[in-house]
Amino acid sequence: MEFNVKKLASDAGVFFSRAMQFTEEKLGQAEKTELDAHFENLLARADCTKNWTEKILRQTEVLLQPNPSARVEEFLYEKLDRKVPSRVTNGELLAQYMTEAANDFGPGTPYGKTLIKVGETQRRLGAAEREFIHSASINFLTPLRNFLEGDWRTISKERRILQNRRLDLDACKARLKKAKAAEAKAAAVPDFQETRPRNYVLSASASALWSDEVEKAEHELRLTQTEFDRQAEVTRLLLEGISSTHVNHLRCLHEFVESQTNYYAQCYQFMLDLQKQLGSSKGEIFSGTFVGNAESASPAAATSPPAVAAATLPAVPTIPVVPTIVGVPNTVAEGVLNPSEVKPPASGTRRARVLYDYEAADSTELALLADEMITVYSLPGMDPDWLIGERGNQKGKVPVTYLELLS
């Protein structure tokens, strides 16, 4: 118990000495040991690294999980060393709703079929998003978080120790300076005209006391200087390790970019596949707009162009029981289209604006670019979901749903 009391008193004295030195430095009443320029640059770079790492970490967390409540929940699970429960992504939840809606509307209806296709794509997008979040969390967020919670805490701790060693060193310098000034004053030549001999004795005694005080202060200064130099070297090595931290974070950043690139490439491919699926089935949904309802047409009327199509887009008249149609090759009448042999009708062509990009599936189709203008017309015997499109010397089939027919 006695030892603890002495140690407590000693620690209180050291704390009081540091506080006095710190206060006097702030007031400009005490000198301060300055660190070299290289050391100061290392400190500034470390602080800059810590600040920007925190900002990048927080914003990346927002990018991967925009919901603040979910981020707080994940933070609590992490602090409690518990596994974060699996969370359904927005895409997967949307896919679930679309599938349930398709079952209610009827999976055989055009709307239901499309809901199922879009829902499946949303499910794949949600799975890709989950994989991207997991990869980014492991390869990018975890290293940044480990730096802030590991290396930076060690650096901060050693910097605080170095600060205390510096305060102790400057306090010892101040005590030595005061002791030397008092010793010099005590050792000054006494006044020989002093009539009381007792003053000579007091002067000699005071000089000896201050000499002892100077020796003690010099000894303490050597000890504190050694401790300060040792701590400065330890802190310097940790600060120079920031360069290795930058290299590690650079590697993690490349992995993050690679994961993000793969994620967006998967999303793009999924949407391209969905667009092609919808392009082949849009005629079922929009057939009433362009060619009417084929199911309601009688078998006799099926041999002639539908009434709505005729009103919307003029076509070459058909001649029943005639194997050859004027201006149209036999291959068209037989159901096999060769666009290079097709000749536009004398009347009935229209201009159309392309709504979306379209990639030709084979040589009979014409590739399209969004917002371009082409000439279109219909031929007898063609699928009502398709038209013949011309662009300069190029010619081929184009899907009706990718076009906006102009008057």
Side-chain angles (χ1 to χ4, degrees), residues 316 326-329 339-346 377 379 390 395:
V316 177
V326 178
V328 181
S340 62
E341 301 177 1
V342 172
K343 296 181 180 179
Y377 50 88
L379 293 176
E390 290 187 3
K395 184 185 303 182

Side-chain angles (χ1 to χ4, degrees), residues 391-404:
R391 179 181 57 235
N393 296 328
Q394 296 178 329
K395 184 185 303 182
K397 294 191 303 181
V398 294
V400 173
T401 52
Y402 279 65
L403 306 173
E404 178 187 359

Side-chain angles (χ1 to χ4, degrees), residues 4 61 185 198 207 220 274 308 321 333 365 400:
N4 292 335
E61 290 176 342
K185 184 178 180 180
R198 180 171 175 273
S207 178
E220 291 180 355
L274 176 61
V308 177
V321 200
E365 297 181 4
V400 173

Side-chain angles (χ1 to χ4, degrees), residues 4 7 14 16 33 38 54 69 110 143 155 174 177 196 243 286 300 330 333 337 361:
N4 292 335
K7 185 176 183 303
V14 171
F16 181 75
T33 300
H38 177 63
E54 281 184 337
S69 300
I155 292 174
K177 184 177 180 180
R196 291 176 293 180
S243 298
F286 300 104
N330 291 337
L337 176 65

Side-chain angles (χ1 to χ4, degrees), residues 66 109 170 209 234 267 308 397:
T109 62
D170 291 337
L209 289 175
V234 171
C267 293
V308 177
K397 294 191 303 181

Side-chain angles (χ1 to χ4, degrees), residues 316-332:
V316 177
T318 59
I319 304 175
V321 200
V322 176
T324 303
I325 303 175
V326 178
V328 181
N330 291 337
T331 54
V332 177

Side-chain angles (χ1 to χ4, degrees), residues 219-254:
H219 177 70
E220 291 180 355
L221 179 60
R222 288 192 294 271
L223 293 179
T224 54
Q225 183 70 55
T226 301
E227 293 178 355
F228 173 78
D229 293 340
R230 184 186 301 112
Q231 185 60 37
E233 184 63 23
V234 171
T235 307
R236 183 192 302 273
L237 292 176
L238 289 174
L239 293 175
E240 290 176 347
I242 292 293
S243 298
S244 300
T245 299
H246 287 182
V247 173
N248 183 41
H249 288 182
L250 176 61
R251 178 183 58 82
C252 297
L253 184 60
H254 280 286

Side-chain angles (χ1 to χ4, degrees), residues 290-312:
F290 298 95
V291 297
N293 189 344
E295 296 181 356
S296 62
S298 61
T303 59
S304 61
V308 177
T312 305

